[in-house]
Amino acid sequence: MLVNKHQNIIDNAVKANHERTFYSQYPEHPKAYGEEAHAKGVQSYQQLLGKPFKQLLQTGETSWAGEEVSPYTREVLGVTYPVFPVGDLIKKATEAGKSWAKVPVSERAGMLTETLERIKDYFFDIANATMHTTGQSFLMSFQASGPHANDRALEAVATGYHELQRYPPSLTWEKPMGKASIKLYKTFKPVPKGPGVVIGCSTFPVWNTLPGVYADLITGNPVIVKPHPKAVLPIAIAVSAIQQSLQDNGYDPNLCQLAADSSDHLIAKELCGHPDVKLIDYTGGSAFGNYVESLPGKTVFTEKAGVNSVILDSVTDLDAVIQNLAFSVSLYSGQMCTAPQNFFIPEQGVKTANGQVSFNEVVQKFKEAVVGLVNHPKMGAGTLGAIQNDSTLSRAQEARHLGGKVILEGTPVVNEEFSNARVCAPTILEVTSADTAIYEKELFGPVILIIKTRDTAHSIQLAKQMASKYGAITCGAYTTDPSAKEKIAEEMNSVFTPVSFNLTGFIWVNQHAAFSDFHVTGGNPAGNASFTNQEFIVKRFVWVGNRELAE
């Protein structure tokens, strides 16, 4: 049985979930997978280009669609994907789910761990596909769509494995009644809610998708993966690996189906609105996220837009802090849901171990650090990556017209390896606390707003207000004052926003670790779900108890 084969992995993952200490089943460094793996991955990726993607074990397609363009080369990938009628996808999912629901959770966990081990064989293929659909650097593409995504998926499996065995499957219940007693035989059964749909995004097509996929599958539900039409290939490779592994072990590959579509004929609404779809996972903009959350009769898990803040009060080493923040805003050109956008700095400046540094000097240091990183011959292009689409690029280029003082204009940046890469430096604007129309919304991409406040208390007030009204996934804060630290934590936590304090060196506010950090709290408008707390799992099934008189 596969559960015996993978019991050690499952037990370690459950243990890590409870202890919240560092744990990773899948090493994040590419060299851990062999010297030849990178070259083979490039070759495998290139062999997929310019032709139909036929690795899926799905039949009955009515057409083929594909529109992906590399942000690095600006060339069409030329990969097309089978398109299926929504009704057929749901019918096959429902049929596959009937037998899957009866599989004991331990066997499900073993099978799903096996699929993750199969995906591991395709990490480098997926990395290259991620790079040339999202614009992430190769290393980020490898880590985010490979080891980190698999770890998040395993985290969901481990949480489900634990929660689905929380209660005994059966027992004899006896109630004393004086000289006699009542005996009942009781069973407790977790019943899956039904087919799920996971809607992916264009920037993290695997990392944001696999947790929902595996949360559905571990709880006994079949799942349909609806990728963003401009970032299909990375998750298509992963889904094909899942299907192959399922079939090799005697399970229906239609338990996990790919539902590709095109910008001209989007099917997300049709999928989500279908009466037989019971579960929806969504990552993307707030408008569609709000629509999905409003659908009656659905259990919905969303990650939407948010406005992430940094509060600067006092520091020990300002240069170390500025370098850390410059990297945070430049990493993947701000196209991360955890990237900081609003920097709240008191008008009197920032206290340091060497005395007070004025507001203007802090802003100048920040600008210089960003410029230095962007222009660094070895770090600039790799850190920035490429901008995924023209809309994000336009937003960054037009940001200088939003108002306020332009500190740094988002000029194009040359990538030596890819001369056509869509890259630009971050735009930095300085605004006042009264300019709420500018800083109260998410400006996705390389746009940074520095907001001058009266004092730290004012900064906290505004950051809290942003999180409460518009959502926040992260908050960075820098203070050497214990009372200020306590106040920041209390106020930001009250609007369900986690705070990262005083980060310097090689750890950034953008990063969330599987098995330890909850990604999104689910408590503010940035999203209603969290990777991976119990609610992310237990809302996908229902405990049902049956009783009968015991003999």
Side-chain angles (χ1 to χ4, degrees), residues 127-139:
N128 284 282
T130 298
M131 180 178 177
H132 286 287
T133 53
T134 70
Q136 294 174 28
S137 67
F138 173 77
L139 184 59

Side-chain angles (χ1 to χ4, degrees), residues 237-260:
I237 298 171
V239 169
S240 69
I242 293 169
Q243 291 181 348
Q244 292 283 350
S245 187
L246 285 167
Q247 180 170 271
D248 289 350
N249 290 281
Y251 293 97
D252 190 337
N254 288 316
L255 282 168
C256 180
Q257 299 175 85
L258 187 77

Side-chain angles (χ1 to χ4, degrees), residues 194 201 365 435:
C201 63
K365 280 179 173 287
D435 293 321

Side-chain angles (χ1 to χ4, degrees), residues 282-319:
Y282 169 77
T283 303
S286 293
F288 195 85
N290 293 338
Y291 157 76
V292 172
E293 288 176 355
S294 73
L295 292 172
K298 314 289 183 183
T299 301
V300 178
F301 307 86
T302 61
E303 179 191 316
K304 303 180 292 186
V307 183
N308 301 321
S309 298
V310 172
I311 299 168
L312 276 167
D313 170 65
S314 51
V315 302
T316 301
D317 183 343
L318 182 60
D319 289 338

Side-chain angles (χ1 to χ4, degrees), residues 137-355:
S137 67
F138 173 77
L139 184 59
M140 178 182 277
S141 296
F142 178 84
Q143 292 178 340
S145 287
H148 294 175
N150 259 30
D151 276 344
R152 279 293 186 189
L154 180 60
E155 180 183 54
V157 171
T159 307
Y161 180 81
H162 177 76
E163 290 299 330
L164 288 157
Q165 299 183 97
R166 178 174 289 277
Y167 304 116
S170 63
L171 59 86
T172 299
W173 179 88
E174 185 172 359
K175 178 181 179 181
M177 302 284 287
K179 293 182 178 180
S181 66
I182 297 174
K183 285 186 179 181
L184 294 176
Y185 177 69
K186 298 188 176 185
T187 61
F188 300 98
K189 181 167 59 174
V191 179
K193 285 190 174 178
V197 169
V198 179
I199 302 172
C201 63
S202 63
T203 47
F204 286 87
V206 181
W207 192 94
N208 271 111
T209 298
L210 286 192
V213 168
Y214 280 82
D216 279 348
L217 290 171
I218 189 62
T219 50
N221 302 286
V223 63
I224 298 167
V225 178
K226 211 303 287 183
H228 192 286
K230 299 196 183 294
V232 184
L233 188 55
I235 193 63
I237 298 171
V239 169
S240 69
I242 293 169
Q243 291 181 348
Q244 292 283 350
S245 187
L246 285 167
Q247 180 170 271
D248 289 350
N249 290 281
Y251 293 97
D252 190 337
N254 288 316
L255 282 168
C256 180
Q257 299 175 85
L258 187 77
D261 61 0
S262 66
S263 298
D264 295 334
H265 184 222
L266 297 170
I267 62 170
K269 280 195 173 183
E270 188 180 354
L271 273 169
C272 293
H274 195 285
D276 291 345
V277 167
K278 303 301 180 183
L279 305 166
I280 302 170
D281 287 78
Y282 169 77
T283 303
S286 293
F288 195 85
N290 293 338
Y291 157 76
V292 172
E293 288 176 355
S294 73
L295 292 172
K298 314 289 183 183
T299 301
V300 178
F301 307 86
T302 61
E303 179 191 316
K304 303 180 292 186
V307 183
N308 301 321
S309 298
V310 172
I311 299 168
L312 276 167
D313 170 65
S314 51
V315 302
T316 301
D317 183 343
L318 182 60
D319 289 338
V321 169
I322 293 295
Q323 289 297 326
N324 185 278
L325 292 175
F327 190 88
S328 292
V329 300
S330 301
L331 186 61
Y332 186 32
S333 295
Q335 297 170 106
M336 303 175 71
C337 59
T338 50
Q341 174 183 294
N342 291 348
F343 287 70
F344 295 100
I345 305 176
E347 60 187 7
Q348 67 269 29
V350 174
K351 289 170 283 198
T352 77
N354 298 316

Side-chain angles (χ1 to χ4, degrees), residues 311-315 346 348 350-351 455-461 463 475-493 499-502:
I311 299 168
L312 276 167
D313 170 65
S314 51
V315 302
Q348 67 269 29
V350 174
K351 289 170 283 198
D455 50 29
T456 296
H458 191 206
S459 297
I460 298 169
Q461 175 195 334
C475 175
Y478 290 85
T479 182
T480 57
D481 182 345
S483 61
K485 180 181 177 183
E486 184 178 351
K487 181 68 172 175
I488 292 168
E490 181 181 349
E491 292 297 302
M492 296 308 296
N493 291 172
V499 185
S500 297
F501 284 101
N502 302 323

Side-chain angles (χ1 to χ4, degrees), residues 408-485:
L408 180 64
E409 195 164 330
T411 53
V413 176
V414 175
N415 183 310
E416 298 290 345
E417 185 178 359
F418 300 100
S419 58
N420 289 330
R422 191 191 289 121
V423 191
C424 75
T427 296
I428 303 176
L429 300 179
E430 179 191 323
V431 300
T432 71
S433 59
D435 293 321
T436 52
I438 300 174
Y439 67 81
E440 71 180 4
K441 57 179 176 287
E442 183 187 50
L443 297 166
F444 187 75
V447 180
I448 298 105
L449 304 176
I450 298 175
I451 301 128
K452 183 185 288 188
T453 64
R454 293 191 302 272
D455 50 29
T456 296
H458 191 206
S459 297
I460 298 169
Q461 175 195 334
L462 293 174
K464 178 183 178 181
Q465 182 178 311
M466 292 300 100
S468 177
K469 290 178 67 176
Y470 306 105
I473 294 175
T474 61
C475 175
Y478 290 85
T479 182
T480 57
D481 182 345
S483 61
K485 180 181 177 183

